[in-house]
Amino acid sequence: MMARTLEGDNIDHIELDDLLLTKDHFTMDALKDYSDMVYSFFTGEGAKYYIGVEERNSLSKEEYEDKVFVDFVNFAMDYSRQHPEKKFIIDGIWIYLYFDENPCDEEGDAERQGNSSGQETDVRKRSQKLSAR
């Protein structure tokens, strides 16, 4: 992933694919090491999404997959504005599948870079919430 190749002390790299079935892949301690933003999401307003495959099988796509990405990206916008000392890179095609607007279309936003798995976006400078489809 291109996001993982960028270097710096205050860069948080988040791959949206890691938001699915998180409980099967990350303990809470591992989430804290992975990203303060992701940890804050799963211990706060996104706690209901910290599930594994067994719990996922009891939910519809609309209850889980269609909401986790939208809720996280909106959370990420707010979180990144509260932490201007850090740079956040969100990597994943999900942004473009679940939102009508491109997070980088407005003047002043960071540029986006494409890669084979999707797109990367620095969400810190986004001034308004995205409108979910």
Side-chain angles (χ1 to χ4, degrees), residues 7 13 17 29 31 45 53 61 72 74 76 79 87 115 124 133:
E7 296 181 14
H13 301 101
D17 288 341
D29 287 338
L31 276 179
E45 64 187 71
V53 71
K61 178 181 178 288
F72 179 77
N74 286 324
Y79 186 93
K87 184 173 183 175
N115 64 32
R124 182 168 41 111
R133 289 186 180 178

Side-chain angles (χ1 to χ4, degrees), residues 4 9 12 19-20 23 25 29 36-37 40 47 49 51 79 85 89 107 109 113 115 117 121 128:
R4 294 285 176 200
D9 292 334
D12 225 358
L19 300 179
L20 294 177
K23 193 175 188 179
H25 305 287
D29 287 338
D36 287 337
M37 178 189 285
S40 294
Y49 300 118
I51 65 172
Y79 186 93
E85 74 283 358
I89 299 173
E107 188 174 326
D109 282 345
Q113 301 174 13
N115 64 32
S117 67
T121 304
Q128 57 181 265

Side-chain angles (χ1 to χ4, degrees), residues 28 37-49 75:
M28 281 297 177
M37 178 189 285
V38 173
Y39 177 80
S40 294
F41 178 71
F42 283 113
T43 57
E45 64 187 71
K48 64 186 173 189
Y49 300 118
F75 174 85

